[in-house]
Amino acid sequence: TADIQLLSAGLEQENFGFKVSQLERQHAEVVANLQRTMDTLTKTDHTLARLGDEFVGNKLTVQSILQDLGVKTADNMNSISELAKAQQRHGDVLKDTVWRADKAARDHKRLYEQQAVAEQEIAGIQGVNKTTAEKLDSHAQEHSRTRSDLASLNKEADLGLTQLRGDLGAASATLSKLSNRFESCNHNIQGVGKGLQDVHKHTLSGEHNMLSPKSARTITPLRKPRAPSVNAGLLQPQM
C-alpha cells in the first residue's frame, strides 16, 4: 500500500509538472499575442498619422479604414481583456498547482518517514526471527542429543534385559537340577525309612532269625518329608 501511494504521488507530481509546463506555454502565447497586439496598435498609430496627412484626398478611404481600424481595435481590446482574464485564471491555476505540488511534497516526506519507521519495524522483526531461529536450532540440537542418549539407554537396557534373561534361564536350569536331586534324595530317604520299619517289624516278630527285644518299645515311624515346590522357576520350601 505504501508503494502504491508513493507511485500515485509520483504520478500526481508528473501530472502537475505537465500542467505547469502547459500553463507556461499558454502564458507565453498570451504574451506573444499581446506583443503582436501592441505591434498592431503601433502600426495603427503610424497608419493613422499617415492617413491624417492624406486625409483631404482620401477622406472616404480614411473613414472606411478608420472604421475597420476601430473594429479591429475593439476586437483587439476585447482580445486583450480576454487574454488578461485568461492570464489571471492561469495565475490562479499556477497558484493552485504550486499549492498541490507543495502538498504532494509534504505527503511524499510523510510517506518516506512512514517507510523508514516500517523498515525499522521490519528490521526488529527480522532480529526477533533470527533469535527465534537460533533458539529453535538450539532446541533441535538438544532434542537430537536427547534422542541419542535415549537410544543409548535403550540399547544398554536391552543388553541388560538380555543378560538378565540369560541369568534367569541359567538360574531356572540350576533350580530344576536341584529339584531333581532333592526328589532323588527324598526317594532314597523314604526307602531307608521303609527298610528300618521292616527290620523293626521282623525283629518284633522274630522273623528271619532276629531276636525280639526283652521289652516292647515302639519306634515312631519316620515322618515323610515333603518335596519342595518349584514356583516360577524358584525353589519354595514346604511348611
Side-chain angles (χ1 to χ4, degrees):
T1 304
D3 294 336
I4 293 173
Q5 292 179 355
L6 289 175
L7 291 174
S8 299
L11 291 174
E12 288 179 1
Q13 288 182 354
E14 291 178 0
N15 291 329
F16 289 154
F18 176 74
K19 289 180 179 180
V20 169
S21 61
Q22 185 179 5
L23 290 173
E24 287 177 351
R25 288 195 300 272
Q26 292 178 357
H27 184 267
E29 291 175 0
V30 170
V31 172
N33 291 329
L34 287 173
Q35 186 64 38
R36 286 195 298 272
T37 303
M38 295 301 294
D39 294 337
T40 303
L41 289 175
T42 302
K43 292 178 181 179
T44 303
D45 291 335
H46 291 301
T47 303
L48 288 173
R50 189 175 62 254
L51 291 174
D53 294 336
E54 298 176 355
F55 179 72
V56 178
N58 301 314
K59 185 178 180 179
L60 296 174
T61 305
V62 169
Q63 288 178 351
S64 179
I65 292 172
L66 286 174
Q67 289 177 357
D68 292 337
L69 289 175
V71 173
K72 291 180 179 180
T73 302
D75 293 338
N76 290 330
M77 292 301 294
N78 292 329
S79 298
I80 291 170
S81 177
E82 293 295 331
L83 289 173
K85 293 178 180 179
Q87 186 177 4
Q88 185 177 2
R89 289 195 299 271
H90 292 162
D92 295 336
V93 173
L94 284 173
K95 290 180 181 179
D96 184 68
T97 302
V98 171
W99 180 81
R100 290 178 181 273
D102 184 62
K103 184 176 181 297
R106 291 195 301 270
D107 293 339
H108 179 71
K109 182 179 179 181
R110 185 173 64 255
L111 289 173
Y112 180 78
E113 292 174 354
Q114 292 177 356
Q115 182 182 2
V117 173
E119 288 178 353
Q120 291 178 358
E121 292 178 353
I122 291 172
I125 293 172
Q126 289 177 350
V128 172
N129 288 335
K130 182 178 180 181
T131 304
T132 305
E134 291 176 353
K135 289 182 179 180
L136 289 175
D137 292 338
S138 177
H139 289 311
Q141 293 176 0
E142 186 68 24
H143 182 66
S144 178
R145 288 195 295 270
T146 303
R147 290 182 63 183
S148 179
D149 294 339
L150 287 174
S152 299
L153 290 174
N154 289 330
K155 186 176 181 180
E156 292 177 359
D158 291 339
L159 291 175
L161 288 174
T162 302
Q163 185 176 2
L164 181 60
R165 290 192 185 95
D167 294 339
L168 288 175
S172 178
T174 302
L175 288 175
S176 178
K177 291 179 181 179
L178 290 175
S179 178
N180 293 330
R181 291 178 182 178
F182 181 80
E183 290 290 340
S184 177
C185 291
N186 187 24
H187 182 71
N188 293 332
I189 290 172
Q190 288 179 358
V192 171
K194 186 177 181 181
L196 290 174
Q197 289 178 358
D198 293 339
V199 169
H200 179 69
K201 184 188 295 184
H202 293 315
T203 300
L204 291 177
S205 59
E207 295 177 352
H208 302 290
N209 298 323
M210 290 185 179
L211 298 176
S212 61
K214 295 180 180 181
S215 61
R217 291 180 296 180
T218 303
I219 299 177
T220 303
L222 294 177
R223 183 180 179 183
K224 183 179 180 181
R226 298 181 180 179
S229 62
V230 178
N231 186 13
L234 298 177
L235 184 62
Q236 299 291 336
Q238 295 289 335
M239 298 300 296

